[in-house]
Amino acid sequence: MLHCFYGLVCLSALLAFATFAGAQTDCPVQLNPERVVVRHGGSVTADCSTSVQHQGIGWEASQGAVSMITDKSLITWRVSELTEWDIEPFCFINYKKGDKLHQCLVKLPVTVYKTPDSVSISTVNHSGPMMEGKEYKLQCDVLGVAPVQYLTVKWYKGQTLLNQTTFNDNIKTPVNKTATLLIRPDRADDGAQYKCVAELVLGAEGPSPTESAFNAEVYYKPKYSISTETIFKGDDVLLNCTVKANPAPTYIWDHLKETSSSSVLQSSELSPGNYTCTATNTRGGDSKVFIIKSNDQTTFWAIILSGVAVIVVLIISYLIFKFNSSPNSII
Ligand SMILES: *[C@@H]1O[C@H](CO)[C@@H](O)[C@H](O)[C@H]1NC(C)=O
């Protein structure tokens, strides 16, 4: 017998013993498999066997019941088309222990599933392109799925898992469920794929997930990462004002008269100075300034030469001054 020094240790030891006994020796039957996962309308089988002498063994179930028999040690519960949503089969046995007749049973847990009739993703109270920085609600409708307690709805942007929802209802028949996700898209999300994936998490025997996706279009204004660019004038000057934006922006150069022009300006005629370009779309605008500096070789050498000339003149003046003011040093 167990020695119980501490109440709690003793209690858990007894519980462990009782659980072990319940599964293994209390009722002398073995189920194979011990639990099943089956599609609604699908087929299912499970064996019940015993190694003891018995007065009868059978399966009780609302579908596929097997009447008690006495001449076999293995009987099979078999349903070719399971139509019940809530089925609780059990195998029972009558046997003698000493000269007393015992009856006991072991339940077979059955999970009946149905993949969704449809899964669809949509934006709530909105259609068309989304505006950068604004909040939107995505909705995923999962219709006709069972059992909902095993359902997980996962949200993805591209390959990235954003969120997931599970459901606690203990309903065995098919239900409709909705999951939502708040998003605040930015410019990088233009063209991104949002996806909701409805998955019945039932292990290896379970079904594959069902998904629905949509590609986001995001409107955003032009924004230059560098707002000033300095260019040294050579023979040819290339000013590139191109910027990403959605819808595509129009460009205006402040020194040109036309309102709509190209984003790239190439010219050999541009004189040094500042040139501003403004990109604009329906969301807003941004400007970039190009500073053209002269890169004239003659100017460069003129500065160097005049500098050298000034230094030479200074040295000569100093020497003349020194020679004239110190007569004693001359022999
Ligand atoms: C689920 O939605 C469908 C379509 O809207 C409807 O026909 C069906 O009755 C709904 N099922 C339940 C269980 O509410």
Side-chain angles (χ1 to χ4, degrees), residues 33-51:
E34 287 179 335
R35 54 186 58 245
V36 293
V37 172
V38 56
R39 182 178 57 82
H40 187 253
S43 67
V44 60
T45 65
D47 290 337
C48 178
S49 60
T50 186
S51 54

Side-chain angles (χ1 to χ4, degrees), residues 98-148:
D99 48 0
K100 269 186 141 182
L101 189 64
H102 287 260
Q103 181 173 66
C104 69
L105 60 88
V106 175
K107 287 181 181 172
L108 175 71
V110 177
T111 305
V112 183
Y113 71 82
K114 179 184 169 297
T115 53
D117 291 321
S118 72
V119 174
S120 56
I121 192 170
S122 58
T123 44
V124 180
N125 297 330
H126 180 82
S127 64
M130 299 187 280
M131 305 300 148
E132 180 179 41
K134 288 199 177 165
E135 193 175 71
Y136 296 88
K137 191 190 249 184
L138 300 184
Q139 179 170 317
C140 184
D141 290 302
V142 183
L143 299 187
V145 66
V148 71

Side-chain angles (χ1 to χ4, degrees), residues 2-4 6-20:
L2 292 165
H3 291 272
C4 297
Y6 304 102
L8 209 62
V9 175
C10 178
L11 184 65
S12 51
L14 281 176
L15 280 175
F17 181 73
T19 310
F20 178 77

Side-chain angles (χ1 to χ4, degrees), residues 147-158:
V148 71
Q149 73 173 113
Y150 293 103
L151 177 67
T152 299
V153 175
K154 291 181 181 170
W155 293 96
Y156 289 90
K157 182 173 78 181

Side-chain angles (χ1 to χ4, degrees), residues 26-206:
D26 239 28
C27 194
V29 295
Q30 268 294 315
L31 300 187
N32 184 27
E34 287 179 335
R35 54 186 58 245
V36 293
V37 172
V38 56
R39 182 178 57 82
H40 187 253
S43 67
V44 60
T45 65
D47 290 337
C48 178
S49 60
T50 186
S51 54
V52 302
Q53 287 286 327
H54 64 89
Q55 271 67 50
I57 184 169
W59 276 103
E60 192 51 71
S62 49
Q63 267 190 282
V66 181
S67 326
M68 190 172 82
I69 50 168
T70 52
D71 57 344
K72 281 182 187 167
S73 61
L74 185 149
I75 54 168
T76 302
W77 174 64
R78 181 178 282 117
V79 178
S80 57
E81 199 175 309
L82 190 72
T83 54
E84 297 278 324
W85 291 103
D86 194 358
I87 191 165
E88 291 177 320
F90 59 84
C91 177
F92 63 90
I93 187 168
N94 295 322
Y95 65 105
K96 270 200 173 131
K97 208 192 284 176
D99 48 0
K100 269 186 141 182
L101 189 64
H102 287 260
Q103 181 173 66
C104 69
L105 60 88
V106 175
K107 287 181 181 172
L108 175 71
V110 177
T111 305
V112 183
Y113 71 82
K114 179 184 169 297
T115 53
D117 291 321
S118 72
V119 174
S120 56
I121 192 170
S122 58
T123 44
V124 180
N125 297 330
H126 180 82
S127 64
M130 299 187 280
M131 305 300 148
E132 180 179 41
K134 288 199 177 165
E135 193 175 71
Y136 296 88
K137 191 190 249 184
L138 300 184
Q139 179 170 317
C140 184
D141 290 302
V142 183
L143 299 187
V145 66
V148 71
Q149 73 173 113
Y150 293 103
L151 177 67
T152 299
V153 175
K154 291 181 181 170
W155 293 96
Y156 289 90
K157 182 173 78 181
Q159 303 294 311
T160 310
L161 179 67
L162 298 177
N163 202 354
Q164 58 184 38
T165 312
T166 54
F167 304 87
N168 292 323
D169 330 32
N170 192 19
I171 305 167
K172 302 248 165 71
T173 51
V175 294
N176 297 337
K177 281 289 168 188
T178 296
T180 57
L181 178 75
L182 290 174
I183 58 164
R184 199 181 286 279
D186 65 21
R187 54 189 55 221
D189 300 325
D190 185 31
Q193 187 184 66
Y194 287 89
K195 198 160 69 175
C196 90
V197 179
E199 186 176 358
L200 283 166
V201 183
L202 291 169
E205 296 162 273

